[in-house]
Amino acid sequence: MTAPTHQNWLQLKHDSETGIETQHAHFKGRAYDPHWHETYVIGFTETGVQQFDCRHQTHTSLQGGCFLLEPGDLHDGRAPCEEGFTYRSLYIPKDWLTHQISQLFEARPDHFELTFSRTLSTDKRLAAATSSAFLAKHLGDPKIVQEGCLDHMIHNLTHHMAWRQKRYAPNGHHLAYRIRDYLNDHLETDIVVQDIADEFGYDRFQINRAFKTAFGVTPHLYLVRTRLARARTLLAQGRSANAVAHSLCFSDQSHLGRWFKRAYRLTPAAYQKCCTPQP
């Protein structure tokens, strides 16, 4: 689907069998507000210069360069140059990629998860493999072609990935990680920070300070962005925008729509249309 606005455009397709999404887009100026995904994001900058903040750093992706994001990586997007930038990316479900990578190893370590060694890469082989995988999936090539291209991309991706011990609370951040788990468990409950303070026996200021020190955002923004990522998943599964808004504690469908469009540059209805198989 194409959504042109002020010389910006976006095309997104969703594969219901694998859950993989492909996105081809061009933006000038500010592209996205800070957000994150429940998927891995593997893409490359096709033209122009793309800039985004992620992991407490500003990253600049030049033409032909790849960008690699993990689930939960907070990032935004903007064009530092007047001509803007164009990119192609694949959004790959965590379980699907972990399963595919695991098949390349004789043994998979317990209590570990896949991580990217760097956010940006200038590996030309990875860029070429990612481009081929994107085109095969986005253009709907025969399944055996899609499979071969994805396998080739994953093979090149292994040079940029490692097993990392699953994230546990580091010393000094136990409270913040307990709060994060509490928020993740209450995505469908209309809670406020005072509820968290009552749960853990601290005041609201201590809760906000501890959480922001550990994660760089307030509990409120973390909860909203996690709900948006979950909304994207639920919409792709066929849930109506109204039902998703209600279940994730947005006041109504319009409220969800305003936040969703700022993060993903699509309305919930437009995104869901991209996820609906066409006859």
Side-chain angles (χ1 to χ4, degrees):
M1 178 176 179
T2 304
T5 56
H6 305 295
Q7 298 180 310
N8 296 334
W9 52 264
L10 185 154
Q11 300 171 337
L12 184 145
K13 293 187 178 181
H14 176 90
D15 178 19
S16 58
E17 184 175 342
T18 62
I20 295 174
E21 292 181 359
T22 53
Q23 183 166 299
H24 191 197
H26 175 83
F27 291 110
K28 292 186 175 183
R30 187 168 187 82
Y32 302 103
D33 280 358
H35 65 283
W36 54 66
H37 299 273
E38 294 186 328
T39 62
Y40 287 94
V41 182
I42 303 164
F44 66 97
T45 302
E46 186 177 0
T47 64
V49 179
Q50 178 180 185
Q51 199 169 73
F52 59 94
D53 296 323
C54 182
R55 302 185 190 178
H56 309 293
Q57 293 183 22
T58 296
H59 301 276
T60 302
S61 179
L62 304 178
Q63 182 174 332
C66 291
F67 50 91
L68 309 169
L69 303 175
E70 300 172 22
D73 272 348
L74 180 66
H75 63 284
D76 55 10
R78 57 188 175 273
C81 301
E82 185 177 351
E83 63 270 22
F85 66 94
T86 307
Y87 71 93
R88 303 184 183 198
S89 58
L90 297 99
Y91 299 82
I92 301 183
K94 184 176 181 179
D95 290 344
W96 188 91
L97 183 59
T98 301
H99 175 70
Q100 300 300 317
I101 293 285
S102 299
Q103 293 181 329
L104 299 176
F105 296 91
E106 293 184 0
R108 171 177 146 186
D110 294 331
H111 307 298
F112 278 71
E113 59 190 0
L114 290 168
T115 179
F116 293 125
S117 54
R118 293 183 179 180
T119 303
L120 297 181
S121 170
T122 56
D123 184 344
K124 293 182 178 180
R125 290 178 297 181
L126 176 61
T130 301
S131 178
S132 296
F134 172 90
L135 289 172
K137 181 62 71 175
H138 198 71
L139 299 179
D141 282 349
K143 289 185 178 180
I144 193 169
V145 176
Q146 295 184 32
E147 180 185 60
C149 290
L150 285 168
D151 285 349
H152 183 54
M153 182 190 74
I154 291 170
H155 174 75
N156 282 275
L157 196 62
T158 56
H159 302 297
H160 303 269
M161 299 191 81
W163 295 106
R164 172 186 61 200
Q165 188 170 7
K166 288 187 176 179
R167 296 172 179 173
Y168 297 103
N171 292 334
H173 291 304
H174 293 288
L175 174 60
Y177 279 73
R178 288 166 59 204
I179 296 169
R180 184 195 64 177
D181 292 342
Y182 181 88
L183 292 172
N184 290 338
D185 290 339
H186 290 80
L187 294 182
E188 299 183 0
T189 305
D190 194 10
I191 60 173
V192 294
V193 175
Q194 186 60 52
D195 296 328
I196 306 171
D198 294 341
E199 174 73 18
F200 295 107
Y202 293 86
D203 63 45
R204 296 198 310 276
F205 303 102
Q206 290 172 311
I207 293 293
N208 279 312
R209 185 165 55 248
F211 196 86
K212 192 168 184 178
T213 298
F215 300 111
V217 294
T218 63
H220 164 70
L221 285 176
Y222 175 88
L223 188 59
V224 169
R225 288 164 181 163
T226 304
R227 283 171 172 166
L228 287 173
R230 182 60 50 83
R232 186 170 172 134
T233 299
L234 295 175
L235 289 166
Q237 293 173 354
R239 296 274 296 274
S240 72
N242 186 56
V244 170
H246 178 74
S247 67
L248 294 176
C249 305
F250 291 92
S251 58
D252 54 30
Q253 184 174 334
S254 296
H255 186 213
L256 168 64
R258 288 194 296 273
W259 279 95
F260 196 90
K261 191 171 183 179
R262 285 167 56 184
Y264 305 120
R265 294 303 289 264
L266 284 172
T267 65
Y271 171 73
Q272 193 167 52
K273 187 175 181 180
C274 296
C275 300
T276 303
Q278 299 297 317

